Amino acid sequence: MLPKNLKSSFEAFFNHQSVTGFCILFVSTVIVGIFVGFFRIFNRYFNFKIKHQNNYLDISRGFLAHKTMQLKLNRIQTIQLRQTILRRLVRLVSVNVLLSASQDEKDAQTVLIPVASIDKIMTTLKKVLTSIDFDVDHWQVSNIDKAAWYQVRFSVLRNIFIMVFVISVVIFYFPSMLQRSYILLFFFILIVIIAILILKNILTITDQKLGFNQELVYIQRSNGFSREGYYIRRDKIQGVRERGFITLFRKKVLHLDIIVRDGDGHHIIHLRYVPQSTVNHFKQWLNIGL
């Protein structure tokens, strides 16, 4: 779609470049991208302030475009703590809130605290939301002996089944790919994938926590290599769902889903291999409290 003269100038430029020229161009592009990304973050969260009023929070931020938002406290459904894999390594966390919102509202999820130290996040939350008691007793959800093994086994078997199906299709439709180099490459990729799956699923089990006080529950889980924590008031929980194969019921273990409102829809928090006693304890707290 480019004009011919512009197209020919581009072709002439790239055809006469050396490897060094392309490397310089690539590095320059990366540097510009980093600068643009940094400036976007700086522009979005410059002078980020939260003021606690009577029944709402006054949030202001921005450099070139200054934005303010009044957030009613009764619209907060869930407080979400989130750590990506990089933030886990440097012990940082961001805090979002899931809000009740109608279909025409865009901000169903709002950044409450862009970044904070994991060691100081409780103190920061207590300053921002003074009406909520964040002191909860944490205890491990999946305390059955072989929970991590069950999780890894299910994930690996499922992915092996998918890979066997893909291999069968390749053998049937693309027999020319059955060369030694391709087979060795496939097994190398398979080993890497299985190692990543084992690490991911072990984290899924070991990161799970659940605890509560009189009115608040804390739920922690892993979403891939990211860690998520949720503070939810008892009256904001929309529902609880139990599921699992018959083999889980024999072991008195369940998968537990906690449903909360998110915008005009819902958000489901998944916990895996939860002992039946823990589920009963949680349902008792949900129905009648401590």
Side-chain angles (χ1 to χ4, degrees):
M1 294 187 295
L2 293 175
K4 290 184 178 180
N5 57 346
L6 186 60
K7 182 179 177 181
S8 60
S9 64
F10 271 112
E11 290 178 348
F13 173 78
F14 283 105
N15 289 336
H16 291 84
Q17 295 304 309
S18 62
V19 175
T20 304
F22 281 120
C23 291
I24 294 174
L25 183 63
F26 174 76
V27 171
S28 301
T29 304
V30 171
I31 292 174
V32 171
I34 292 174
F35 177 78
V36 171
F38 173 78
F39 182 76
R40 287 183 61 189
I41 296 174
F42 180 81
N43 181 53
R44 182 182 301 174
Y45 296 118
F46 177 77
N47 202 25
F48 189 95
K49 293 181 180 179
I50 300 178
K51 293 182 180 179
H52 192 287
Q53 306 295 341
N54 293 330
N55 59 349
Y56 66 90
L57 296 176
D58 192 359
I59 304 175
S60 61
R61 59 184 173 89
F63 179 64
L64 295 179
H66 188 74
K67 295 182 179 180
T68 60
M69 177 181 180
Q70 286 189 343
L71 176 62
K72 291 185 178 180
L73 294 175
N74 58 8
R75 291 183 59 199
I76 297 178
Q77 304 297 304
T78 305
I79 300 169
Q80 181 192 56
L81 280 64
R82 195 166 189 275
Q83 288 180 288
T84 61
I85 185 171
L86 293 178
R87 290 190 175 185
R88 292 181 69 169
L89 293 175
V90 295
R91 297 185 60 79
L92 296 176
V93 63
S94 61
V95 181
N96 305 320
V97 288
L98 304 183
L99 306 174
S100 58
S102 58
Q103 284 185 329
D104 57 348
E105 293 182 275
K106 296 181 180 179
D107 292 330
Q109 182 172 341
T110 300
V111 176
L112 187 64
I113 302 173
V115 65
S117 170
I118 191 65
D119 300 324
K120 299 180 180 179
I121 191 61
M122 290 296 99
T123 304
T124 306
L125 282 174
K126 289 177 181 179
K127 289 181 179 179
V128 175
L129 300 169
T130 57
S131 60
I132 300 178
D133 180 15
F134 291 98
D135 293 327
V136 297
D137 296 325
H138 300 122
W139 38 288
Q140 198 70 24
V141 175
S142 296
N143 55 4
I144 59 174
D145 294 336
K146 298 182 179 180
W149 162 243
Y150 294 146
Q151 176 71 11
V152 170
R153 182 181 63 181
F154 171 78
S155 178
V156 171
L157 289 177
R158 179 185 60 186
N159 286 276
I160 287 178
F161 174 79
I162 296 174
M163 291 176 185
V164 169
F165 175 77
V166 173
I167 292 172
S168 302
V169 172
V170 170
I171 292 174
F172 187 78
Y173 290 102
F174 307 99
S176 60
M177 295 186 64
L178 296 177
Q179 301 177 12
R180 183 176 181 181
S181 58
Y182 286 113
I183 294 175
L184 292 175
L185 178 62
F186 169 76
F187 278 108
F188 175 77
I189 295 174
L190 180 63
I191 291 173
V192 172
I193 291 175
I194 290 177
I196 294 174
L197 286 174
I198 291 174
L199 178 60
K200 171 182 173 293
N201 287 283
I202 289 176
L203 288 176
T204 298
I205 295 300
T206 56
D207 282 344
Q208 287 188 162
K209 293 182 182 296
L210 187 149
F212 37 75
N213 56 26
Q214 190 65 33
E215 293 295 333
L216 196 73
V217 63
Y218 174 76
I219 303 169
Q220 181 177 288
R221 63 180 294 272
S222 283
N223 183 13
F225 289 100
S226 298
R227 178 186 292 168
E228 297 175 348
Y230 298 86
Y231 284 100
I232 314 171
R233 287 176 51 122
R234 182 169 51 197
D235 57 349
K236 300 296 184 180
I237 296 177
Q238 304 297 314
V240 176
R241 181 171 61 197
E242 306 167 21
R243 55 192 175 86
F245 293 109
I246 188 171
T247 54
L248 292 182
F249 289 110
R250 291 175 179 174
K251 297 180 177 66
K252 296 183 179 181
V253 179
L254 298 169
H255 299 322
L256 183 65
D257 297 337
I258 295 93
I259 305 170
V260 295
R261 186 175 178 183
D262 181 15
D264 202 40
H266 65 275
H267 181 85
I268 301 178
I269 305 168
H270 302 284
L271 296 176
R272 298 183 63 80
Y273 299 102
V274 183
Q276 182 69 59
S277 58
T278 302
V279 176
N280 294 337
H281 194 187
F282 175 69
K283 289 167 65 176
Q284 179 184 7
W285 171 86
L286 184 62
N287 293 328
I288 61 176
L290 295 177

